[in-house]
């Protein structure tokens, strides 16, 4: 059982000593998940808003599709995107395989349903008097859209937290698309998988603790924001 | 109508399922006019207000609005909604979306002050740091600040404490005097509504059935023969009426068709003579008449008499009086 306690010790040591390999994995993780969150918000908020705000035929079926995609397995996304961006695939010429943008693209696919679904729910859950109120106060067109998003900002923040959590914790995509290349596409999760395979449990635990710390920091930042806005 | 018309509604119909149908035959509202609407819950008041605010569509009929733009109409909902922002942002919202950027702070301050909310104390409060009455006043301040052409108020004082209700009533009265805004509002407080309205309409079952000061008389009516029907009142007195369309019909008795007497009158042609007690007196908005509420036969009758008559009869609350009206003065709906 020693290796568990050793893991904690090692985590502190790695962080304090500024171990370059560890920090490389940390930065890669942050970079990849930030890219994928930015892309999924840019794509997912408009779609989610449309789904939550407008009533049209087939809307419920479409919502059901996105809700199902919330449970999308990472390896399935990995496989699908691998097929698309590998040399023989239709997007092969962009050379995305085993690169950070490649992982980010696949992670975007993974978290997009989360952003869409939670945005739609956030917009849908706005008090029904809200619409009457904004329109009788004179808001028109885009003003209605921005006022609705501002009004549901707390629920939107929850969507960001959930999506970020999913992105930094996944391993399937990073492994398949990134290839776990040291100094390059190795993320914290792929590093943990590697260390565990090598039997280096304490190193794996140390990296796990760092990952948790990172998740905590992101959450703390968002909780702070939530209080302020 | 002498003044310019801002709303004209003709044969407007709005139905919700089979249970409710609003049907407005003909309604004119003049520019700068103040119109009150009374009626029971479910009489169609709120639906009419929503249609006037263009929040609800109509199934049939025509609405002509001759204001400058539908953006110049604003409505205070019965249960108002505040944005999840500060009081300042709530009140300034209407100015912001209208791109009015000058003196926003001053305007918001004035508007809050009019509603009895000290700007320094309230401006930066968040939406959840307000009581129900304060929230209602902030919501009204957000409407007044945009200085609309038409202000629609649905029960502005129904869900607030007495202090807030008094402030809201007073602010609306002041605002009306200052800006000649067209006002359309509903309220259960008929005395106040009379004091801020040029006219009060009464709604029943989705229709406008005369003025708010009219008396509604419900059935059941019993056939007495020879075209005369009667309704037995709780204390055993009768109301006689001519030809109700059916036994459950309701009729409207105009308040100025009721005469008052301080002694029991004999040998008169009117079929209805009811003994009762005078409950309250108030001066009508128009100024030349006195509104007198009489409790007779278990019902409340609203009567309108001249100041001269009130003086001559020495009318005072608590006094025993008789009310007289013709059986034929009841109009059926």
């Amino acid at each position: 059982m020693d290796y568990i306690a050793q893991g904690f010790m090692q985590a502190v040591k790695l962080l304090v000593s500024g171990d370059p390999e560890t920090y490389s994995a940390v930065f890669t993780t942050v970079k990849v998940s930030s890219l994928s969150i930015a892309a999924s918000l840019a794509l997912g908020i408009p779609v989610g808003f449309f789904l939550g705000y407008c009533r049209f035929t087939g809307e419920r079926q479409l919502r059901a599709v996105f809700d199902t995609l919330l449970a999308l397995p990472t390896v399935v996304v990995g496989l699908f995107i691998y097929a698309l961006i590998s040399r023989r695939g239709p997007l092969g010429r962009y050379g995305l395989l085993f690169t950070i943008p490649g992982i980010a693209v696949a992670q975007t696919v993974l978290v997009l349903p989360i952003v869409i679904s939670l945005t739609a729910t956030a917009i849908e859950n706005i008090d029904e008097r809200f619409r009457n109120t904004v329109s009788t106060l004179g808001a028109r067109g885009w003003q209605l859209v921005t006022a609705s998003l501002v009004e549901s900002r707390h629920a939107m923040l929850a969507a960001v937290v959930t999506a970020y959590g999913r992105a930094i914790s996944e391993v399937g995509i990073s492994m398949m698309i990134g290839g776990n290349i040291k100094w390059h596409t190795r993320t914290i999760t792929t590093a943990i998988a590697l260390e565990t395979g090598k039997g280096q449990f304490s190193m794996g635990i140390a990296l796990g603790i760092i990952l948790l710390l990172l998740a905590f920091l992101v959450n703390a930042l968002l909780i702070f924001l939530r209080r302020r806005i | 109508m002498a003044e310019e018309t801002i709303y004209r509604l003709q044969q407007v119909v709005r139905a919700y399922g089979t249970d409710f149908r609003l049907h407005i035959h003909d309604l004119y509202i003049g520019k700068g006019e103040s119109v009150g609407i009374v009626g029971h819950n479910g009489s169609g008041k709120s639906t009419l207000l929503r249609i006037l605010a263009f929040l609800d569509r109509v199934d049939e009929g025509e609405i002509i609005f001759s204001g400058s733009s539908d953006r110049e109409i604003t409505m205070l909902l019965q249960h108002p909604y505040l944005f999840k922002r500060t009081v300042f942002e709530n009140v300034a919202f209407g100015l912001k979306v209208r791109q009015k950027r000058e003196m926003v702070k001053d305007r918001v301050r004035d508007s809050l002050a009019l509603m009895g909310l000290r700007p320094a104390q309230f401006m930066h409060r968040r939406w959840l740091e307000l009581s129900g009455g304060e929230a209602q006043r902030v919501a009204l301040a957000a409407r007044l600040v945009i200085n609309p052409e038409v202000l629609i108020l649905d029960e502005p004082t129904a869900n607030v404490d007495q202090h807030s209700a008094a402030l809201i009533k007073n602010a609306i009265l002041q605002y009306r005097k200052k800006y000649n805004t067209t006002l359309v509002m509903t309220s259960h407080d008929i005395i106040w509504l009379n004091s801020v309205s040029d006219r009060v309409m009464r709604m029943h079952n989705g229709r406008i059935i005369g003025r708010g000061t009219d008396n509604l008389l419900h059935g059941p009516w019993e056939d007495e023969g020879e075209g005369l029907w009667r309704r037995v009142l709780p204390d055993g007195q009768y109301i006689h009426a001519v030809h109700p369309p059916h036994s459950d019909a309701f009729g409207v008795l105009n308040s100025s068709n009721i005469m008052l007497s301080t002694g029991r009158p004999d040998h008169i042609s009117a079929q209805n003579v009811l003994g009762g007690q005078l409950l309250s007196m108030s001066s009508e908005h128009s100024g030349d008449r006195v509104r007198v509420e009489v409790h007779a036969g278990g019902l409340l009758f609203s009567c309108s008499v001249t100041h001269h008559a009130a003086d001559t009869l020495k009318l005072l609350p608590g006094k025993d009086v008789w009310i007289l009206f013709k059986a034929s003065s009841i109009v059926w709906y």
Side-chain angles (χ1 to χ4, degrees):
Chain A
M1 294 294 279
D2 271 358
Y3 55 82
I4 296 177
Q6 271 174 26
F8 281 100
M9 297 294 290
Q10 204 162 349
V12 175
K13 217 186 278 173
L14 288 173
L15 283 175
V16 173
S17 67
D19 176 59
E21 208 179 318
T22 308
Y23 274 93
S24 160
V26 169
F27 286 132
T28 307
T29 302
V30 172
K31 207 173 183 180
V32 165
S33 39
S34 300
L35 273 173
S36 60
I37 291 301
S40 62
L41 291 180
L43 295 169
I45 289 176
V47 177
F49 181 86
F50 181 75
L51 279 180
Y53 198 81
C54 304
R55 298 280 157 271
F56 54 91
T57 40
E59 176 223 342
R60 290 175 73 166
Q61 287 76 3
L62 207 56
R63 284 292 299 274
V65 170
F66 283 113
D67 288 347
T68 309
L69 292 179
L70 289 175
L72 207 56
T74 55
V75 280
V76 172
V77 178
L79 175 71
F80 182 66
I81 299 295
Y82 192 102
L84 282 176
I85 65 175
S86 69
R87 218 166 248 284
R88 289 185 301 160
L91 304 174
R93 63 200 143 112
Y94 298 110
L96 288 170
L97 196 58
F98 306 130
T99 65
I100 285 175
I103 308 174
V105 168
Q107 279 192 356
T108 303
V109 174
L110 180 75
V111 298
L112 196 55
I114 298 176
V115 176
I116 291 174
S117 192
L118 293 187
T119 304
T121 309
I123 296 294
E124 216 172 46
N125 285 347
I126 298 180
D127 196 303
E128 59 178 300
R129 293 168 299 160
F130 171 82
R131 267 201 224 198
N132 289 333
T133 302
V134 277
S135 70
T136 59
L137 284 174
R140 298 287 181 270
W142 278 107
Q143 294 171 336
L144 291 170
V145 178
T146 46
S148 307
L149 288 173
V150 171
E151 194 65 7
S152 59
R153 62 196 180 280
H154 291 150
M156 303 288 300
L157 265 183
V160 175
V161 173
T162 312
Y164 209 90
R166 181 97 162 117
I168 60 167
S169 63
E170 72 78 30
V171 61
I173 290 170
S174 303
M175 194 63 97
M176 291 168 85
I177 308 288
N180 195 18
I181 304 165
K182 198 173 173 181
W183 305 116
H184 185 44
T185 59
R186 180 167 296 169
T187 63
I188 303 177
T189 52
T190 56
I192 293 172
L194 180 74
E195 297 302 334
T196 310
K198 290 193 320 199
Q200 301 283 345
F201 296 123
S202 51
M203 183 64 180
I205 290 167
L207 287 166
I209 290 165
I210 292 166
L211 187 63
L212 274 175
L213 266 177
L214 193 63
F216 173 75
L217 275 177
V218 171
N219 266 302
L221 179 72
L222 291 171
I223 289 167
F224 172 75
L225 271 179
R226 199 193 143 97
R227 289 225 177 118
R228 291 295 298 267
I229 60 176
Chain B
M1 195 166 286
E3 71 249 72
E4 223 179 313
T5 307
I6 194 156
Y7 278 111
R8 204 183 113 194
L9 276 71
Q10 279 183 320
Q11 298 302 335
V12 162
V13 174
R14 177 76 173 108
Y16 291 108
T18 51
D19 296 340
F20 177 76
R21 187 177 153 93
L22 178 85
H23 191 162
I24 306 294
H25 288 278
D26 204 354
L27 171 65
Y28 290 84
I29 296 175
K31 224 167 236 179
E33 196 184 6
S34 172
V35 178
I37 303 172
V38 295
H40 296 291
N41 290 337
S43 60
K45 292 173 294 180
S46 295
T47 307
L48 176 59
L49 291 190
R50 290 175 60 84
I51 286 172
L52 292 175
F54 294 103
L55 282 180
D56 208 348
R57 60 183 175 83
V58 299
D59 299 323
E60 289 167 38
E62 190 180 46
I63 305 175
I64 298 172
F65 174 68
S66 29
S68 54
S69 133
D70 65 351
R71 260 189 146 176
E72 294 303 322
I73 307 169
T74 189
M75 176 172 175
L76 182 68
L77 305 172
Q78 188 174 357
H79 300 278
Y81 182 83
L82 288 188
F83 301 133
K84 295 188 172 68
R85 309 188 197 186
T86 62
V87 167
F88 173 79
E89 287 172 307
N90 265 285
V91 179
F93 184 85
L95 295 173
K96 213 171 94 186
V97 295
R98 284 175 175 72
Q99 322 275 336
K100 289 182 182 166
R101 298 212 171 85
E102 315 86 55
M103 311 190 1
V104 171
K105 266 200 173 160
D106 292 335
R107 289 182 187 203
V108 171
R109 263 194 209 112
D110 291 348
S111 200
L112 286 174
L114 180 66
M115 296 312 311
L117 298 165
R118 282 181 47 219
Q121 192 185 344
F122 282 94
M123 284 264 261
H124 302 292
R125 281 212 193 163
R126 280 146 54 97
W127 76 99
L128 36 70
E129 298 165 338
L130 300 169
S131 73
E134 287 164 353
Q136 178 85 331
R137 285 186 272 153
V138 169
L140 186 54
R143 271 81 188 163
L144 297 183
V145 78
I146 49 187
N147 208 344
E149 281 174 28
V150 181
L151 179 60
I152 299 174
L153 307 165
D154 193 359
E155 295 284 351
T157 58
N159 306 299
V160 299
D161 55 287
Q162 277 194 330
H163 174 65
S164 292
L167 283 161
I168 289 169
K169 288 173 183 178
N170 193 31
I172 294 170
L173 204 60
Q174 273 188 41
Y175 193 79
R176 164 150 169 70
K177 278 186 189 151
K178 200 165 162 190
Y179 301 100
N180 203 34
T181 307
T182 306
L183 274 174
V184 186
M185 59 207 146
T186 62
S187 176
H188 277 99
D189 187 344
I190 296 183
I191 294 173
W192 171 71
L193 205 55
N194 268 318
S195 71
V196 279
S197 310
D198 299 323
R199 62 184 161 119
V200 177
M201 306 185 299
R202 179 179 288 280
M203 287 192 74
H204 187 87
N205 278 348
R207 286 159 186 262
I208 296 171
I209 54 157
R211 297 186 307 183
T213 50
D214 293 343
N215 297 287
L216 278 191
L217 300 172
H218 292 267
W221 303 96
E222 300 167 6
D223 195 349
E224 291 182 300
E226 294 176 18
L228 214 57
W229 296 56
R230 71 176 184 185
R231 182 185 156 195
V232 184
L233 296 176
D235 71 345
Q237 301 193 76
Y238 299 115
I239 296 178
H240 297 281
V242 181
H243 285 307
H246 51 88
S247 63
D248 286 324
F250 72 93
V252 173
L253 174 62
N254 191 301
S255 57
S256 48
N257 283 340
I258 302 178
M259 284 170 284
L260 286 176
S261 168
T262 45
R264 188 183 168 87
D266 296 316
H267 315 298
I268 58 152
S269 65
Q271 292 276 359
N272 291 299
V273 178
L274 300 173
Q277 194 178 40
L278 201 158
L279 276 189
S280 68
M281 297 171 71
S282 58
S283 190
E284 285 184 15
H285 185 52
S286 55
D288 54 351
R289 293 181 81 87
V290 182
R291 175 146 310 279
V292 179
E293 307 275 347
V294 177
H295 190 250
L299 297 181
L300 195 63
F301 287 88
S302 179
C303 322
S304 172
V305 299
T306 58
H307 280 288
H308 178 72
D311 288 345
T312 321
L313 293 173
K314 298 193 173 66
L315 295 180
L316 278 174
K319 194 163 182 161
D320 287 333
V321 290
W322 273 261
I323 59 169
L324 301 83
F325 54 94
K326 287 182 175 180
S328 59
S329 59
I330 299 171
V331 183
W332 300 107
Y333 282 88

